[in-house]
Amino acid sequence: MSAHASEHGTMNLKLIVWRQAGPNEPGRFETYDAKGITPHHSFLEMLDVVNEDLIKAGKEPIVFDHDCREGICGACSAVVNGVPHGGYKRTTLCQLHMRKFKDGDAIYLEPWRARAFPIIKDLMVDRGALDRLIQAAGWTSAHTGGVPDGNSTPIPKRSADYAMDAAECIGCGACVAACPNGAAMLFAGAKVSQLNELPQGQVEAPERVAAMVQAMAENGFGNCSNHYECQAACPKGIDVKFIARLNREFRKALVLDKVGALTKSAKAE
Amino acid sequence: MILDGKAPTGRIEESWDKYRFDLKLVNPANKRKFKILVVGTGLAGASAAATLGELGYNVETFCYQDSPRRAHSIAAQGGINAAKNYPNDGDSIYRLFYDTIKGGDFRAREADVWRLAQVSNNIIDQCVAQGVPFARDYAGYLDNRSFGGAQVSRTFYARGQTGQQLLLGAYSALSRQIKAGTVKLFARTEMLDLVVVDGEAKGITIRDLVTGEIRTHVGDAVVLATGGYVNVFYLSTNAMGCSVTANWKAHKKGAYFANPCFTQIHPTCIPQAGDYQSKLTLMSESLRNDGRIWVPKKKEDCNKPANEIPEEDRDYYLERKYPTFGNLAPRDIASRAAKEQCDEGRGVGPGGRGVYLDFAASIKRLGENVVRERYGNLFEMYERITDEDAYKQPMRIYPAPHYSMGGLWVDYNLMSNIPGLFVLGEANFSVHGANRLGASALMQGLADGYFVIPNTIAGYLATTKPGKVKADHPEFKKSVEEVHGASKKLLGINGKKTVTEFIRELGTTMWEDVGMARSKESLTKALQKIPAIRKEFWENVKVSGKGEELNQQLENAGRTADFLEFAELLARDALHREESCGGHFRVEHQYPDGEAKRDDANFCYTAAWEFKGIGKEPELHKEPLKFENVHLAVRSYK
Ligand SMILES: Cc1cc2nc3c(=O)[nH]c(=O)nc-3n(C[C@H](O)[C@H](O)[C@H](O)COP(=O)(O)OP(=O)(O)OC[C@H]3O[C@@H](n4cnc5c(N)ncnc54)[C@H](O)[C@@H]3O)c2cc1C
Ligand code: SF4
Ligand code: FES
């Protein structure tokens, strides 16, 4: 039966949603009806409709993170039918449109699940661990002012493009949620690759990778064991080649004895 | 009252350097004794907090998102201007200054705009040093493109994600300071009040969005970098959480609100398709570099597929009306022209609210690959939303509310009329006049944060003692009680309509009566409707849940309540300004050919409004604008 949504006016769906009042509260699935949804609704607009109904019925609306609704801020985050962001190539949840669903579909909705991302409420999780990875060393020590002219160091287009490919990461954390080990290697690999590729970032390259790898362990992220689920879930098409780069950079830092130095200085503090 | 913007006098070329030299300094050892509260972590806030932390100040920074990296600056696509003149096409600081003054329809302060143009070049260098991967040519040098309102290529870009890359750069600088301990970050935190002690800004009252806790933070100065307010129109290109709340609360505590009616309607957005919609998506203006805008000449062609309309039956109206700038005419002009075509019944797509943005000629000239390389991600985005392939058929675009040129009034130091309260980025009114040219908001945010505030804030701090006010001052308690009271009131109404229904109703009124074309009649109507919606809101809104917990409905209700008060000020400002300029178009004031008619004799000033109570007439203060370097002239793009 071809009941593809775009051939119909509106559709009715069943949502089976994870509800959890707080980090230490028990969670459970609840079922809701989404009625009168058009193929042009985005997934979050569909949730808005459900929430309006819940509010009017005096029930608590479903809590979820979102802001830009155009696929760039990285706030939206839910696992749809077992896949972070719903599993359409290069598509965040807010950019997923209901034309991808059929009338009568049942849709499972869960929060990101990973040790490093405690649940705050319903579909909202705490992704502060990703910020802490960047705080560890995801920067260059460029003071404001006193830097050379932007054109003083030519950067091969190849390198600029490569860095930009890596820099497209929106920090959504889908890669972590998709990974059976809850690893943040795609996220960290992208940042390390971007900065270590550019002349401006090379000066601190070994220290950066050493600090970020250490921070990953400290913040409850697991290790990569080559499942490639991260790349499949990533809405920005971040390539696993950046994980390989992360590993290479890490070995380079080992050779330079930066990792040991870092561990030692951490102990000394 | 005549306001003094404190703009330096004398030769404009030396104005900033001289002023900066004369500013007071804070001794390095004293810097860490001062605490500065920076609200907002977008380009303006993150760059300010990072730089102030780096200078040695003790900084606390706040944002309502879970991470600074998600501030709405992340969404900017097109690019950032700078007067580097790398392409050797005749650009200079003076030309960028000139274009910005003229682009803003002569409603900005000259000295501020000069400074912006001057520091624009440092911004690019700074960002490159941070590892921002700007586009480069094959020789390894920075690449440029053009934007609306300019005939030179001065826009630097990082694919279609310039804002993202610049923000991630500022965010990384901020992260470095967080690690260093100079900056303390409070994410998922919303500022709900400004605390003013003896006439000076000394703190803020916030709601912890996770626990619902309401508490105060004390500082020696407060910096607001809280972005724009065009969500007052409900549907806009802004993120869902963008609000006027921080600005409005400061306004109620005495800060003047300048030119609230100067809002920008962006010409290249994906048209609204239905009532369920929660936002409008911008398609970068850079598309106008290679896309040609047209509508069918004949009304009966509007429902035909584009490729069945022969060349001679297409009206490339921008190229026809503005041969010099053509498709790159400034935003207000391009927006109004699109609306005109649609109002005449020649719009395309659902409801006739769209014009074509056509790439067929560029694809033919450059090849699909080049177009894909330049704009691929935008085409993808367009397809995802509309289910249409813009390589095969033209995009449909329509204007949408996008940017607020108005904001809190600030002087040349970026300080509001409340001593100790500084306002940066889109939240202030400063440099864009009545219309912002493309790629200059990113420039302004970073100029304010990296290069202006670190200098000018010292001028204030040097006159005050660190820790002058303590947390036990009664004003803090009073503010917390007020915020508690407002939440309680919202939660207690238990009416029948949801918050969304109210903001939608307000937005519809704003778009129809206070939108792209305003008249005395429509504004008078809006000024009756807005208080009525507000009254109903406070009697009939339904906000469930509790205050002492995560409660997204309560957050939205608070933002909507502020919009409902602010909207009235916006409409009043539009009504009082009996002229058309930039994005502010009063139908009564136009030339026979439909161009905006400015009135320099009577309105060459910044309107700064003082709050006098809800529903009460605010008091108008004027800051006269003087043009000594760019002469007041009719703004023509023909
Ligand atoms: C879709 C889009 C595309 C754009 N493209 C371009 C472009 O190509 N070039 C260009 O120059 N400009 C562009 N602009 C404009 C430009 O992006 C913005 O004007 C600019 O980024 C605003 O920066 P900001 O730092 O002032 O504010 P924002 O980036 O909006 O940051 C506001 C900050 O304040 C915080 N905040 C707000 N209210 C509160 C509160 N009450 N309590 C606590 N925190 C609060 C938020 O959490 C956030 O951190 C674009 C804008 C949009 C919407
Ligand atoms: S790598 Fe991809 S999935 Fe992971 S945080 Fe970045 S954008 Fe999200
Ligand atoms: S809401 Fe911003 S990426 Fe989805």
Side-chain angles (χ1 to χ4, degrees):
Chain A
M1 201 187 78
S2 126
H4 202 269
S6 51
E7 295 161 23
H8 285 254
T10 63
M11 49 185 156
N12 299 323
L13 307 149
K14 221 163 234 1
L15 293 191
I16 303 142
V17 187
W18 185 261
R19 303 299 305 260
Q20 183 171 339
N24 303 317
E25 306 289 326
R28 69 201 179 278
F29 281 107
E30 297 271 349
T31 306
Y32 305 101
D33 291 317
K35 289 191 217 125
I37 306 299
T38 76
H40 293 296
H41 275 79
S42 71
F43 200 91
L44 300 188
E45 284 163 354
M46 181 275 292
L47 279 181
D48 290 343
V49 171
V50 174
N51 272 348
E52 285 286 292
D53 288 346
L54 286 174
I55 294 168
K56 289 203 160 158
K59 295 190 184 130
E60 272 208 52
I62 303 160
V63 169
F64 59 95
D65 252 327
H66 67 120
D67 202 18
C68 73
R69 295 204 170 186
E70 51 184 80
I72 188 75
C73 75
C76 59
S77 47
V79 176
V80 179
N81 292 334
V83 195
H85 289 304
Y88 282 87
K89 207 172 159 215
R90 297 192 69 137
T91 306
T92 54
L93 190 64
C94 60
Q95 289 285 287
L96 178 61
H97 281 72
M98 297 312 290
R99 62 181 75 96
K100 303 286 188 200
F101 295 86
K102 293 194 287 287
D103 190 24
D105 273 358
I107 305 174
Y108 280 83
L109 215 49
E110 288 171 83
W112 280 180
R113 302 222 186 248
R115 186 153 72 99
F117 296 161
I119 292 183
I120 296 176
K121 191 170 182 176
D122 296 346
L123 304 177
M124 182 189 274
V125 302
D126 177 359
R127 285 170 285 188
L130 294 181
D131 285 318
R132 292 192 289 277
L133 291 190
I134 300 297
Q135 283 154 20
W139 30 262
T140 69
S141 298
H143 281 277
T144 304
V147 295
D149 183 90
N151 258 351
S152 62
T153 313
I155 298 175
K157 186 171 186 315
R158 189 175 15 84
S159 289
D161 285 349
Y162 173 96
M164 184 62 213
D165 287 344
E168 281 193 29
C169 163
I170 57 173
C172 64
C175 47
V176 181
C179 174
N181 308 327
M185 301 275 277
L186 196 61
F187 173 84
K191 189 45 77 182
V192 163
S193 302
Q194 176 204 339
L195 294 177
N196 288 19
E197 173 74 13
L198 298 170
Q200 291 79 6
Q202 270 157 19
V203 187
E204 297 167 287
E207 288 84 358
R208 176 175 307 111
V209 68
M212 285 185 76
V213 167
Q214 185 175 325
M216 279 196 284
E218 285 168 3
N219 281 283
F221 293 104
N223 259 318
C224 174
S225 50
N226 297 320
H227 289 268
Y228 292 4
E229 292 292 339
C230 53
Q231 177 177 288
C234 176
K236 293 293 142 179
I238 305 295
D239 198 303
V240 288
K241 74 180 180 201
F242 297 124
I243 297 186
R245 170 84 182 247
L246 176 74
N247 288 328
R248 266 201 321 278
E249 295 283 341
F250 186 68
R251 281 196 297 276
K252 259 197 275 178
L254 274 179
V255 172
L256 295 170
D257 205 22
K258 289 295 178 196
V259 181
L262 197 94
T263 327
K264 258 181 250 152
S265 74
K267 275 191 196 125
E269 266 166 23
Chain B
M1 186 174 112
I2 301 291
L3 277 172
D4 179 8
K6 301 210 175 67
T9 47
R11 269 171 47 85
I12 196 132
E13 288 83 353
E14 289 152 17
S15 55
W16 172 232
D17 295 331
K18 186 165 174 305
Y19 190 87
R20 195 164 44 154
F21 181 77
D22 291 339
L23 273 168
K24 293 197 178 73
L25 298 174
V26 177
N27 167 323
N30 285 339
K31 285 202 180 107
R32 84 185 104 83
K33 296 184 191 147
F34 285 105
K35 188 190 276 177
I36 303 172
L37 308 178
V38 180
V39 189
T41 62
L43 285 176
S47 56
T51 306
L52 293 169
E54 196 175 87
L55 284 170
Y57 293 108
N58 186 349
V59 179
E60 290 184 356
T61 191
F62 306 81
C63 65
Y64 70 74
Q65 293 94 345
D66 68 325
S67 165
R69 67 180 296 144
R70 306 200 208 287
H72 197 53
S73 296
I74 200 90
Q77 301 165 352
I80 176 168
N81 284 338
K84 288 277 198 187
N85 194 29
Y86 287 154
N88 192 30
D89 54 1
D91 203 5
S92 62
I93 291 172
Y94 191 85
R95 191 179 294 278
L96 176 53
F97 161 70
Y98 175 89
D99 285 352
T100 308
I101 290 282
K102 177 184 164 202
D105 226 348
F106 301 91
R107 289 295 174 263
R109 214 185 271 142
E110 274 193 342
D112 298 46
V113 177
W114 176 272
R115 174 173 68 188
L116 173 73
Q118 182 180 338
V119 303
S120 67
N121 290 339
N122 304 68
I123 296 172
I124 303 304
D125 302 338
Q126 183 61 33
C127 297
V128 167
Q130 288 167 347
V132 169
F134 283 117
R136 300 219 169 221
D137 62 21
Y138 282 98
Y141 296 113
L142 290 154
D143 204 3
N144 292 106
R145 58 186 175 199
S146 326
F147 251 63
Q151 285 170 309
V152 290
S153 270
R154 62 160 73 100
T155 306
F156 294 76
Y157 64 102
R159 279 194 199 139
Q161 288 116 291
T162 315
Q164 177 195 29
Q165 293 313 314
L166 296 173
L167 182 63
L168 292 182
Y171 159 76
S172 71
L174 178 66
S175 300
R176 179 170 152 248
Q177 294 307 314
I178 293 172
K179 163 109 177 276
T182 59
V183 178
K184 214 164 157 213
L185 168 71
F186 297 86
R188 291 202 198 273
T189 302
E190 186 166 19
M191 167 185 163
L192 295 180
D193 199 15
L194 177 76
V195 184
V196 179
V197 178
D198 300 332
E200 291 180 280
K202 290 294 169 197
I204 60 172
T205 301
I206 60 94
R207 179 165 187 272
D208 179 321
L209 300 182
V210 176
T211 63
E213 184 199 358
I214 290 166
R215 62 168 194 270
T216 50
H217 287 252
V218 192
D220 297 293
V222 177
V223 177
L224 296 188
T226 46
Y229 54 71
V230 290
N231 273 351
V232 69
F233 293 97
Y234 183 49
L235 287 185
S236 85
T237 63
N238 283 12
M240 305 303 288
C242 292
S243 74
V244 76
T245 290
N247 266 5
W248 188 248
K249 294 296 173 48
H251 177 60
K252 286 171 96 172
K253 284 291 175 84
Y256 297 167
F257 215 115
N259 301 336
C261 80
F262 289 176
T263 50
Q264 180 163 79
I265 312 290
H266 196 293
T268 50
C269 302
I270 301 181
Q272 188 185 350
D275 292 335
Y276 55 82
Q277 223 154 320
S278 57
K279 78 162 288 166
L280 296 171
T281 303
L282 174 86
M283 300 298 293
S284 168
E285 180 168 35
S286 63
L287 290 167
R288 295 201 270 149
N289 268 308
D290 288 307
R292 298 180 69 197
I293 296 175
W294 62 277
V295 290
K297 278 186 186 157
K298 296 187 243 163
K299 288 182 190 166
E300 53 283 15
D301 281 353
C302 290
N303 291 323
K304 279 193 197 159
N307 58 9
E308 284 173 23
I309 303 169
E311 202 53 37
E312 64 273 17
D313 288 341
R314 301 176 175 193
D315 180 8
Y316 295 90
Y317 58 89
L318 283 179
E319 296 169 29
R320 170 170 60 81
K321 291 173 70 169
Y322 307 98
T324 313
F325 281 76
N327 293 301
L328 284 174
R331 292 178 178 176
D332 56 322
I333 295 195
S335 293
R336 257 193 318 274
K339 182 170 188 286
E340 236 169 63
Q341 308 307 314
C342 297
D343 289 350
E344 282 169 16
R346 298 190 298 143
V348 295
R353 273 174 309 190
V355 300
Y356 286 127
L357 176 62
D358 198 339
F359 284 84
S362 304
I363 292 176
K364 214 159 139 201
R365 180 166 47 91
L366 305 162
E368 192 174 310
N369 272 345
V370 174
V371 171
R372 197 179 288 276
E373 162 118 332
R374 283 187 194 162
Y375 311 106
N377 67 315
L378 298 170
F379 279 59
E380 255 178 54
M381 190 168 90
Y382 183 79
E383 177 163 14
R384 225 172 268 128
I385 294 170
T386 61
D387 211 18
E388 290 173 11
D389 180 355
Y391 294 103
K392 300 219 168 72
Q393 65 191 95
M395 291 180 178
R396 286 173 297 109
I397 53 167
Y398 196 68
H402 176 61
Y403 183 85
S404 36
M405 279 82 68
L408 291 186
W409 182 86
V410 289
D411 63 15
Y412 188 68
N413 297 317
L414 302 183
M415 189 162 87
S416 71
N417 58 304
I418 301 179
L421 178 69
F422 294 80
V423 193
L424 321 183
E426 193 171 340
N428 74 24
F429 88 105
S430 68
V431 290
H432 306 299
N435 173 51
R436 172 174 77 79
L437 292 182
S440 55
L442 300 182
M443 172 171 71
Q444 185 214 347
L446 292 178
D448 288 359
Y450 284 134
F451 299 110
V452 180
I453 190 74
N455 291 292
T456 58
I457 203 168
Y460 168 75
L461 293 175
T463 65
T464 158
K465 258 199 1 247
K468 198 160 98 181
V469 173
K470 300 276 178 295
D472 56 8
H473 193 283
E475 279 301 322
F476 286 93
K477 199 164 155 231
K478 208 170 112 207
S479 170
V480 169
E481 274 163 14
E482 272 169 27
V483 171
H484 262 301
S487 302
K488 250 211 182 116
K489 200 165 152 202
L490 285 168
L491 289 162
I493 298 165
N494 203 15
K496 296 223 156 45
K497 273 164 77 173
T498 63
V499 177
T500 311
E501 285 172 309
F502 282 104
I503 181 73
R504 216 182 254 160
E505 200 173 327
L506 174 68
T508 309
T509 298
M510 293 302 284
W511 177 245
E512 274 165 15
D513 299 329
V514 196
M516 239 192 294
R518 306 151 173 176
S519 65
K520 183 171 203 161
E521 200 198 341
S522 76
L523 291 166
T524 313
K525 199 158 82 192
L527 282 168
Q528 282 160 358
K529 282 202 237 166
I530 298 162
I533 304 173
R534 189 170 63 225
K535 183 162 175 282
E536 199 204 336
F537 175 86
W538 285 106
E539 286 162 1
N540 196 27
V541 74
K542 185 178 181 79
V543 187
S544 54
K546 291 191 297 243
E548 306 77 37
E549 63 180 15
L550 194 153
N551 188 339
Q552 292 178 319
Q553 277 190 78
L554 181 62
E555 293 167 26
N556 289 339
R559 292 168 198 156
T560 302
D562 293 333
F563 276 137
L564 281 164
E565 291 175 8
F566 167 69
E568 197 173 328
L569 180 70
L570 200 167
R572 236 182 246 280
D573 185 48
L575 183 62
H576 119 276
R577 195 168 274 279
E578 288 278 357
E579 65 167 347
S580 294
C581 57
H584 166 64
F585 193 75
R586 281 285 298 269
V587 295
E588 299 94 332
H589 304 285
Q590 52 179 310
Y591 291 102
D593 62 356
E595 299 295 325
K597 193 171 174 187
R598 231 175 44 218
D599 178 356
D600 291 328
N602 295 303
F603 288 95
C604 194
Y605 60 74
T606 296
W609 299 92
E610 181 181 349
F611 184 75
K612 291 284 177 188
I614 299 158
K616 295 217 178 84
E617 188 101 22
E619 188 181 341
L620 175 63
H621 302 281
K622 296 178 184 174
E623 183 196 338
L625 295 168
K626 282 195 292 275
F627 291 91
E628 290 167 343
N629 295 279
V630 183
H631 290 291
L632 280 163
V634 175
R635 181 170 164 255
S636 165
Y637 287 89
K638 292 213 157 135

